[in-house]
Amino acid sequence: MNLRQIEIFHAVMTNSTASRAAEVLRISQPVVSKAIQELEHSTGLALFHRTNGRLLATSEARLFFREVEQSFTGLTHLRSAAARIGGFGSGEIRFASLSELSTNVVPKALYAFQKRHPEVTITFQTQRSTLVKDLVASGQLDVGVVADETELAGVDARPFTNYRAVVALPADHRLRERAVVLAKDLHGEPFVALSPEDTIRRQVDAIFETGAIKPKIVLETQHSTTICALVNAGLGCGVVNPITAEPYLGRNLIVRPFEPAIYFRTLLLLPANRQPLKIVTNLISDLKNHASLDDATTHQTVPLL
């Protein structure tokens, strides 16, 4: 007895005739008849009476069919599970991002994604880029977004965003009329800086040092989002990722492109040597769709990679 014989028996019982079973299974009627004979031989059951070329089910066949039906229900469940896993995996996506995108790009993308896929559960974390990378590399995350200076061993890394840095200013600042704020314009200005270990901070410091420019650093913080909040509160100005400034625009904060141009770049990480599930690919698409900036946010067009 094998699965093919059971499948043919099921088709005969479901469709009442061998000819119709053959048609449904797209095989010949002699193949159906042979499989039924082999099944009867292997089970020792007389499953059908043969009358005028027709197969008439016996009582044994009907009892056996009950058991077969239960097995087919299990197979149908397995087929459905395979289809679901192929598109949705476990039905959960594990995702993490650096904080700069967690208050703007990510919420908008997750909202769009969940409207189209309400059956998928998303676990989202905001973490340091190095930790996000380690979690993706170990398979504990399905996708991550990190700063571009992150070490990338053990992951599949793809360019994600590329935002030109802007200067966040209080709305009444003396530089508010400038189309572009030059580094030299910040000499002596109260300045909220990123942490010394930050890549953008190091680039800004190098620009200031080259031009003998000395802003008055009043605070240091890890995140552009915090700089925007502090500028909005009137503590000074700061060089920030423009995506983090958007929630504050129209309040007590304006932004202008910083010159010379420097860029906040991020990477999208996936586990190495593993094709992402379709549902993960859909989330990535939504992230990309909501990562663009408009002129109102940056005072210019900012390209994305």
Side-chain angles (χ1 to χ4, degrees), residues 55-265:
L55 297 178
L56 299 177
T58 64
S59 57
E60 289 89 345
R62 298 187 188 284
L63 291 172
F64 186 56
F65 182 63
R66 292 180 188 175
E67 302 299 324
V68 169
E69 280 278 72
Q70 294 181 17
S71 298
F72 263 73
T73 299
L75 286 173
T76 300
H77 174 74
L78 290 176
R79 290 190 184 101
S80 297
R84 185 181 67 253
I85 290 169
F88 296 93
S90 65
E92 177 183 3
I93 297 178
R94 300 159 300 172
F95 168 49
S97 169
L98 73 170
S99 65
E100 276 72 12
L101 303 185
S102 66
T103 60
N104 192 313
V105 171
V106 171
K108 292 178 181 178
L110 293 182
Y111 175 76
F113 177 87
Q114 289 249 285
K115 283 193 72 175
R116 293 188 293 116
H117 303 288
E119 71 284 0
V120 177
T121 301
I122 298 177
T123 301
F124 172 62
Q125 306 175 38
T126 298
Q127 298 285 4
R128 301 187 316 276
S129 290
T130 52
L131 180 56
V132 173
K133 177 263 174 183
D134 290 342
L135 292 172
V136 173
S138 65
Q140 296 178 65
L141 291 175
D142 299 299
V143 61
V145 177
V146 300
D148 72 332
E149 68 266 21
T150 307
E151 187 273 326
L152 299 174
V155 296
D156 173 7
R158 307 174 184 184
F160 184 46
T161 61
N162 184 27
Y163 299 134
R164 181 176 173 176
V166 297
V167 179
L169 303 164
D172 60 355
H173 197 276
R174 68 177 183 84
L175 299 173
R176 64 184 180 278
E177 301 299 331
R178 299 288 183 88
V180 174
V181 173
L182 305 177
K184 65 181 182 180
D185 296 329
L186 300 177
H187 184 77
E189 288 291 330
F191 191 79
V192 183
L194 288 166
S195 300
E197 65 272 13
D198 188 275
T199 300
I200 293 294
R201 167 67 185 274
R202 293 197 294 268
Q203 292 181 47
V204 171
D205 283 352
I207 292 168
F208 287 161
E209 184 176 352
T210 299
I213 301 160
K214 294 183 179 181
K216 180 183 178 182
I217 297 179
V218 295
L219 280 168
E220 294 178 337
T221 182
Q222 289 183 308
H223 306 302
S224 285
T225 303
T226 307
I227 293 178
C228 291
L230 294 170
V231 172
N232 186 69
L235 273 76
C237 57
V239 175
V240 301
N241 187 332
I243 199 70
T244 64
E246 188 178 65
Y248 297 93
L249 298 178
R251 296 161 65 181
N252 188 39
L253 183 143
I254 59 174
V255 295
R256 298 293 182 265
F258 178 67
E259 185 68 39
I262 56 177
Y263 293 87
F264 288 84
R265 294 184 172 92

Side-chain angles (χ1 to χ4, degrees), residues 4-25:
R4 184 56 170 167
Q5 293 167 358
I6 296 297
E7 183 181 27
I8 291 173
F9 169 72
H10 183 271
V12 172
M13 293 296 291
T14 302
N15 294 280
S16 301
T17 67
S19 60
R20 178 57 183 156
E23 182 181 340
V24 169
L25 295 174

